[in-house]
Amino acid sequence: MEILLIIRFCCNCTYALLYKPIDRVTRSTLVLHDLLKHTPVDHPDYPLLQDALRISQNFLSSINEDIDPRRTAVTTPKGETRQLVKDGFLVEVSEGSRKLRHVFLFTDVLLCAKLKKTSAGKHQQYDCKWYIPLADLVFPSPEESEASPQVHPFPDHELEDMKMKISALKSEIQKEKANKGQSRAIERLKKKMFENEFLLLLNSPTIPFRIHNRNGKSYLFLLSSDYERSEWREAIQKLQKKDLQAFVLSSVELQVLTGSCFKLRTVHNIPVTSNKDDDESPGLYGFLHVIVHSAKGFKQSANLYCTLEVDSFGYFVSKAKTRVFRDTTEPKWDEEFEIELEGSQSLRILCYEKCYDKTKVNKDNNEIVDKIMGKGQIQLDPQTVETKNWHTDVIEMNGIKVEFSMKFTSRDMSLKRTPSKKQSGVFGVKISVVTKRERSKVPYIVRQCVEEVEKRGIEEVGIYRISGVATDIQALKAVFDANNKDILLMLSDMDINAIAGTLKLYFRELPEPLLTDRLYPAFMEGIALSDPAAKENCMMHLLRSLPDPNLITFLFLLEHLKRVAEKEPVNKMSLHNLATVFGPTLLRPSEVESKAHLTSAADIWSHDVMAQVQVLLYYLQHPPVSFAELKRNTLYFSTDV
């Protein structure tokens, strides 16, 4: 009789749902599941119970599909509300490989899911990979965490190739739209672009985020941003302050919870640009100048510094770092940075307390873990930042206020090479003029900056990639231009990233590129050759064709960059990373010559920029070649190009 009543309830639950909360359906499903579990298969009521469970589950599924998608809660079997607090896509290291997961943080449980593949016309669903009740979730301290499983990092050059392909596909899509091309062709291009963006999103994160179930297994995610790692950690720790109880979900409870994720989720799409609508902003391309002024609101003295992050290709990248201001509650940095933007829409500022305790090392990446004191984010509104004037603002973070200023320079404006009106200095002056005046083979500024980097910066993480303080760089520029006697003393005291930035600025401000305007078209043609022997002959011939000061300086720089790349396990700078930083700087044509080469500012990874990177990478990967050897071979080759 009881079984028949339950079946009757399931068949008439539409009426009940008009007046009763949805948890009645959930509870009836659980009751039916338990009855079925304890009923022998040969019992006459077993088929009836199966039918009742199927009806109840189907009805619950249909209710979930029709319910308001803005709801953020699901009811637990005990009648309590389980609220969705946060969700997002994270890269999990599972069985030695990277997997993209959708992670859901509820008020009492963290659930890691994967979107199931479904045929056309069917509703999408999630498959739960694992879950941890928050009462059982712990964060291993750096000294407690075990070494992470070996995950082979994706080669930098392959990541850069993906970016290049994405940019090329963007350009093709824009051309198709401008020419009113066929929608099928555009969809094919969009599909290719999504595939490359997905691979980039999957393989670029490197920052470890480990969580542990006190009853068993540990799980490792890789994130692209320390900001993101901090957000997840803080959200979980805030929930853990409540009186939480450990529990185990039954298969039906887990099914109901996982089934609710599709409707509850707040992040619907993988964060790639191919998922954006056509009318959404493409972001900013160019250079953002940021001055980090000061911070207030610290309760006790500490060693404090800030880092700056911007988004690029769907994920955030750390771009700059202030110096450490020691033992203070009101640090005043007043440091300026120039940050390259690649379709960026947001700027993040993180404030850290520097940790000098070498025992607190993260075993996942052997880096000392500094404490995040606060973090904040602002949108880069083109109307606000695209002005000639500085825009001053304040970011509030956990009671801390960080004051900063910023202004934006478009890519086409920032790439101009402007010859110096004064020929007495070194910046903006032809390299042949400088070496002749100095009676040297390599400009003094190049030799001194390289020597200082190799002396104390060759193991600096992100050397040449991390921005130096703009005011320090300008100060070094001034002393080199004036040939000040205190240059060596100033170099020894200066932040190493500022010295690296000064070297980059010198090459960027040459009135013509180091590899010359005249040879630029030939370099572009040579690097595009597919036959290895033909490419070798062409690229070596082009080196021989350079003026002596340019060639000697280029060979000197090549050997330095190779020595930097030898320390890649420590400084994270591969040959490809260095080619990406220096390629456009050494090859980009001067203003007059570049009109035929520059593409739109919105396409920073243009065809020319890709080729410039590839040219330098070719020489970096080539066996060492000396000036004398090249000049000996000149006798057998024409220098006409």
Side-chain angles (χ1 to χ4, degrees):
M1 187 65 180
E2 288 180 351
I3 294 171
L4 292 175
L5 286 172
I6 292 169
I7 295 171
R8 190 175 298 161
F9 165 75
C10 294
C11 294
N12 294 288
C13 58
T14 303
Y15 175 82
L17 278 169
L18 293 172
Y19 304 100
K20 303 292 183 181
I22 197 171
D23 62 327
R24 286 195 60 180
V25 184
T26 304
R27 284 203 296 269
S28 67
T29 304
L30 295 174
V31 170
L32 285 166
H33 182 268
D34 288 336
L35 280 171
L36 195 63
K37 188 167 62 174
H38 294 97
T39 301
V41 178
D42 57 353
H43 193 280
D45 288 336
Y46 192 87
L48 295 173
L49 285 170
Q50 279 186 316
D51 288 341
L53 181 60
R54 177 181 53 78
I55 292 168
S56 183
Q57 287 176 336
N58 288 346
F59 190 84
L60 184 62
S61 178
S62 68
I63 291 297
N64 282 340
E65 290 166 5
D66 294 334
I67 204 161
D68 182 356
R70 290 173 298 175
R71 72 187 180 96
T72 59
V74 64
T75 308
T76 68
K78 295 180 180 179
E80 299 167 349
T81 300
R82 177 176 282 140
Q83 195 88 12
L84 177 66
V85 177
K86 180 178 175 63
D87 70 299
F89 290 94
L90 300 180
V91 175
E92 183 189 11
V93 178
S94 176
E95 298 177 352
S97 62
R98 296 167 181 251
K99 309 285 185 182
L100 191 65
R101 307 296 195 204
H102 200 150
V103 181
F104 296 84
L105 175 61
F106 291 91
T107 42
D108 62 344
V109 64
L110 183 74
L111 185 143
C112 179
K114 171 189 174 185
L115 198 59
K116 289 182 181 178
K117 291 183 179 179
T118 55
S119 55
K122 288 193 175 183
H123 291 285
Q124 287 186 306
Q125 292 181 327
Y126 283 99
D127 176 30
C128 176
K129 305 307 294 183
W130 51 264
Y131 73 91
I132 306 178
L134 296 190
D136 293 328
L137 190 153
V138 292
F139 296 106
S141 63
E143 55 269 22
E144 292 173 340
S145 65
E146 65 219 45
S148 64
Q150 185 64 35
V151 182
H152 297 292
F154 216 66
D156 286 316
H157 69 273
E158 292 191 32
L159 292 177
E160 298 302 335
D161 285 346
M162 286 179 203
K163 292 180 181 179
M164 294 172 186
K165 287 178 185 176
I166 291 165
S167 293
L169 287 165
K170 277 184 187 176
S171 297
E172 287 187 53
I173 291 169
Q174 292 304 320
K175 287 175 185 175
E176 285 287 339
K177 288 180 178 178
N179 298 329
K180 297 183 179 178
Q182 294 183 353
S183 58
R184 286 185 180 179
I186 293 173
E187 287 306 312
R188 279 198 299 270
L189 290 170
K190 282 187 174 180
K191 184 179 179 182
K192 285 183 181 178
M193 184 170 151
F194 175 82
E195 289 170 354
N196 280 281
E197 287 190 305
F198 179 84
L199 283 173
L200 184 63
L201 191 70
L202 187 67
N203 291 292
S204 55
T206 57
I207 297 175
F209 176 50
R210 185 182 291 279
I211 56 176
H212 179 69
N213 186 335
R214 67 172 83 249
N215 295 321
K217 195 173 178 182
S218 291
Y219 301 92
L220 176 65
F221 293 105
L222 296 176
L223 309 182
S224 64
S225 159
D226 208 10
Y227 189 103
E228 187 182 10
R229 176 168 63 177
S230 177
E231 275 190 325
W232 279 99
R233 184 188 292 269
E234 288 173 8
I236 292 170
Q237 289 174 333
K238 183 177 180 181
L239 293 169
Q240 288 180 323
K241 291 179 181 178
K242 300 175 183 177
D243 184 22
L244 298 174
Q245 301 297 319
F247 58 84
V248 176
L249 294 174
S250 69
S251 58
V252 175
E253 289 173 328
L254 186 57
Q255 182 182 354
V256 170
L257 180 60
T258 307
S260 71
C261 289
F262 187 78
K263 285 294 180 182
L264 297 179
R265 62 183 181 167
T266 61
V267 180
H268 294 265
N269 296 314
I270 297 170
V272 294
T273 54
S274 50
N275 280 334
K276 288 184 178 180
D277 295 330
D278 291 341
D279 58 351
E280 287 188 63
S281 169
L284 294 172
Y285 291 82
F287 291 89
L288 185 69
H289 301 263
V290 181
I291 302 176
V292 182
H293 295 294
S294 59
K296 295 180 180 178
F298 297 97
K299 294 179 180 177
Q300 57 187 28
S301 294
N303 303 313
L304 304 166
Y305 69 93
C306 286
T307 63
L308 307 179
E309 296 180 353
V310 293
D311 55 317
S312 169
F313 290 92
Y315 58 94
F316 278 82
V317 181
S318 181
K319 288 284 191 177
K321 176 182 174 182
T322 69
R323 68 183 185 279
V324 178
F325 214 101
R326 292 176 177 267
D327 195 24
T328 183
T329 58
E330 293 190 2
K332 293 180 180 179
W333 296 285
D334 289 320
E335 295 183 43
E336 181 183 342
F337 302 94
E338 182 184 76
I339 299 172
E340 192 169 9
L341 303 183
E342 303 165 274
S344 306
Q345 295 180 312
S346 301
L347 168 69
R348 289 173 169 176
I349 299 181
L350 297 91
C351 193
Y352 292 85
E353 179 182 358
K354 182 68 179 175
C355 175
Y356 292 102
D357 185 352
K358 292 185 178 181
T359 63
K360 294 183 178 180
V361 172
N362 191 324
K363 293 180 183 177
D364 289 317
N365 57 8
N366 291 320
E367 292 182 7
I368 293 175
V369 181
D370 295 338
K371 181 181 178 182
I372 295 181
M373 305 297 288
K375 64 186 188 309
Q377 174 175 310
I378 62 163
Q379 293 300 113
L380 295 175
D381 179 12
Q383 293 182 342
T384 303
V385 298
E386 286 184 326
T387 63
K388 293 181 179 179
N389 300 322
W390 288 93
H391 171 72
T392 303
D393 206 343
V394 173
I395 284 186
E396 295 194 29
M397 45 179 85
N398 299 347
I400 300 164
K401 293 182 179 181
V402 175
E403 184 182 352
F404 67 99
S405 299
M406 60 181 177
K407 68 177 180 179
F408 173 75
T409 306
S410 63
R411 181 165 172 77
D412 52 348
M413 291 295 294
S414 61
L415 291 182
K416 291 182 179 178
R417 291 185 184 270
T418 307
S420 174
K421 293 178 181 178
K422 296 181 179 180
Q423 293 297 298
S424 57
V426 293
F427 283 83
V429 180
K430 285 187 176 182
I431 196 166
S432 57
V433 173
V434 172
T435 52
K436 186 176 181 180
R437 185 205 311 142
E438 294 178 350
R439 297 180 182 179
S440 63
K441 293 181 178 180
V442 176
Y444 179 71
I445 182 175
V446 176
R447 287 183 280 123
Q448 289 308 127
C449 288
V450 164
E451 182 181 324
E452 201 64 32
V453 168
E454 294 196 1
K455 186 189 298 181
R456 59 187 178 92
I458 203 162
E459 295 188 350
E460 182 80 11
V461 175
I463 188 69
Y464 289 120
R465 179 179 59 80
I466 298 293
S467 298
V469 179
T471 45
D472 290 347
I473 293 171
Q474 290 302 316
L476 283 172
K477 176 183 176 180
V479 297
F480 274 113
D481 268 340
N483 196 21
N484 194 301
K485 294 179 181 179
D486 296 328
I487 288 176
L488 294 180
L489 179 62
M490 193 171 179
L491 280 173
S492 63
D493 289 339
M494 192 64 74
D495 175 69
I496 199 64
N497 287 316
I499 295 169
T502 303
L503 182 62
K504 290 189 294 180
L505 184 67
Y506 169 73
F507 287 116
R508 199 163 86 193
E509 291 195 356
L510 284 174
E512 79 161 351
L514 186 65
L515 299 189
T516 74
D517 287 327
R518 181 177 68 90
L519 296 177
Y520 182 77
F523 277 113
M524 295 299 98
E525 291 172 11
I527 199 63
L529 293 173
S530 56
D531 179 71
K535 181 183 283 190
E536 164 83 9
N537 288 334
C538 178
M539 299 301 278
M540 290 300 107
H541 175 50
L542 288 170
L543 280 189
R544 296 183 199 102
S545 304
L546 287 170
D548 285 0
N550 298 56
L551 176 56
I552 295 171
T553 301
F554 182 62
L555 294 176
F556 179 81
L557 182 64
L558 276 182
E559 293 310 304
H560 165 63
L561 295 179
K562 288 179 181 180
R563 288 191 289 272
V564 172
E566 287 173 1
K567 299 291 184 178
E568 181 191 353
V570 181
N571 63 31
K572 314 299 183 189
M573 293 300 289
S574 65
L575 288 175
H576 201 287
N577 280 341
L578 293 164
T580 302
V581 171
F582 277 94
T585 302
L586 301 179
L587 279 129
R588 188 190 74 250
S590 59
E591 185 182 358
V592 176
E593 296 293 326
S594 66
K595 288 180 180 177
H597 303 293
L598 279 176
T599 57
S600 65
D603 190 9
I604 198 166
W605 288 92
S606 65
H607 179 270
D608 275 15
V609 174
M610 299 176 207
Q612 291 159 12
V613 171
Q614 291 301 318
V615 168
L616 180 55
L617 184 61
Y618 180 86
Y619 291 121
L620 285 170
Q621 293 175 334
H622 194 278
V625 57
S626 68
F627 175 79
E629 182 184 350
L630 283 168
K631 286 303 176 181
R632 273 200 306 272
N633 292 334
T634 304
L635 299 172
Y636 306 103
F637 292 91
S638 167
T639 57
D640 294 331
V641 177

